[in-house]
Amino acid sequence: MRNNFFKKNTHIVVSKKNNFIKYDINTVFGFLIYLMSDCILFSVFFSVYFVLSSNSDFTIFNCHVINIYYVFIETIILLCSSFFYSISMVLLNNKENFYFYVYIFLTFILGFFFILMELYELVNFSRTNYFLVKNGIISSFFSLLILHAIHIFFGLIWIIFMIVRVFTSKINKKIYTQFCCLGLFWHFLDIIWIFIFNFIYLFGLIK
């Protein structure tokens, strides 16, 4: 009887496992290659900023418009959106559509709030005398923020596109693969922002 019990439960586990939607590993790998090229692009922007800032005592905090607590809240919002995205991926794989829509919607809302806060920060800077062409450090800082904001913007459009696809089509390997690629893209932007927060904002604060 005991053997039958284990055999039965093992069968359930295997069945659930087999029901998981698989993704196309080649497509995901190809997308990782793209992210590596994007990583090089961000590295160039970071390098320009660090080269300029290492030869000057000037920091972005000299503009007196940066509130580190405000930036910290931005960071938390972006990390939460990434966390919710991970949950939505699991729910999509389990075909729990209702909860999937809830979490992907939360992901979108938090991402949207983040980009609004980022834009507000840029507008605040534009009211100072240091805006864009006044100072090389500020220019490189702006370029990095704008590059990140553009990526977030396209990430939000991609999320809308995927919500529509999931809503109008049956979940299959192709859609789930696209969802995995979007997840990599979203988490990648998190990592970039953590670098910006730690190596630009916090280092600038203690410099």
Side-chain angles (χ1 to χ4, degrees), residues 145-189:
L145 278 195
I146 291 171
L147 183 67
H148 186 263
I150 290 171
H151 278 72
I152 290 284
F153 175 73
F154 282 107
L156 290 174
I157 292 176
W158 195 355
I159 288 175
I160 294 173
F161 175 74
M162 289 310 303
I163 292 173
V164 172
R165 286 217 69 183
V166 172
F167 186 73
T168 56
S169 312
K170 188 178 178 182
I171 309 300
N172 54 33
K173 184 177 179 180
K174 185 178 178 181
I175 292 178
Y176 191 67
T177 301
Q178 291 172 350
F179 220 80
C180 289
C181 292
L182 175 56
L184 288 173
F185 183 71
W186 203 247
H187 295 315
F188 169 73
L189 295 179

Side-chain angles (χ1 to χ4, degrees), residues 5-169:
F5 174 79
F6 281 113
K7 195 179 288 183
K8 185 179 176 183
N9 283 281
T10 305
H11 175 70
I12 291 170
V13 171
V14 170
S15 297
K16 285 185 176 176
K17 188 177 179 182
N18 289 338
N19 283 333
F20 285 169
I21 306 167
K22 295 177 181 175
Y23 56 85
D24 184 355
I25 187 69
N26 292 328
T27 303
V28 172
F29 180 73
F31 192 75
L32 277 174
I33 299 294
Y34 155 72
L35 285 183
M36 286 173 68
S37 67
D38 225 10
C39 192
I40 293 170
L41 178 65
F42 274 104
S43 301
V44 171
F45 279 74
F46 271 113
S47 301
V48 171
Y49 176 83
F50 289 132
V51 168
L52 291 172
S53 63
S54 64
N55 293 303
S56 170
D57 291 330
F58 181 86
T59 73
I60 52 175
F61 286 89
N62 290 109
C63 304
H64 305 295
V65 291
I66 292 183
N67 183 337
I68 194 64
Y69 299 109
Y70 180 87
V71 182
F72 180 71
I73 292 171
E74 273 185 271
T75 307
I76 295 296
I77 286 175
L78 191 62
L79 291 179
C80 285
S81 78
S82 204
F83 177 67
F84 287 148
Y85 189 90
S86 300
I87 296 175
S88 70
M89 279 192 70
V90 174
L91 293 169
L92 182 67
N93 211 334
N94 289 337
K95 298 175 182 174
E96 296 181 43
N97 285 3
F98 174 76
Y99 293 108
F100 160 76
Y101 288 123
V102 170
Y103 279 96
I104 197 65
F105 183 70
L106 287 173
T107 303
F108 178 84
I109 291 296
L110 290 177
F112 186 71
F113 268 114
F114 174 83
I115 201 168
L116 283 182
M117 292 180 78
E118 206 170 20
L119 288 175
Y120 177 77
E121 198 178 7
L122 290 172
V123 170
N124 246 359
F125 260 106
S126 70
R127 293 171 182 162
T128 69
N129 291 326
Y130 295 100
F131 187 58
L132 280 180
V133 295
K134 191 78 175 180
N135 183 306
I137 296 173
I138 294 297
S139 298
S140 57
F141 171 70
F142 262 106
S143 304
L144 192 53
L145 278 195
I146 291 171
L147 183 67
H148 186 263
I150 290 171
H151 278 72
I152 290 284
F153 175 73
F154 282 107
L156 290 174
I157 292 176
W158 195 355
I159 288 175
I160 294 173
F161 175 74
M162 289 310 303
I163 292 173
V164 172
R165 286 217 69 183
V166 172
F167 186 73
T168 56
S169 312

Side-chain angles (χ1 to χ4, degrees), residues 46 50 144 190-201:
F46 271 113
F50 289 132
L144 192 53
D190 271 4
I191 294 169
I192 294 296
W193 181 257
I194 288 169
F195 269 86
I196 292 173
F197 179 70
N198 283 292
F199 295 106
I200 293 184
Y201 285 102

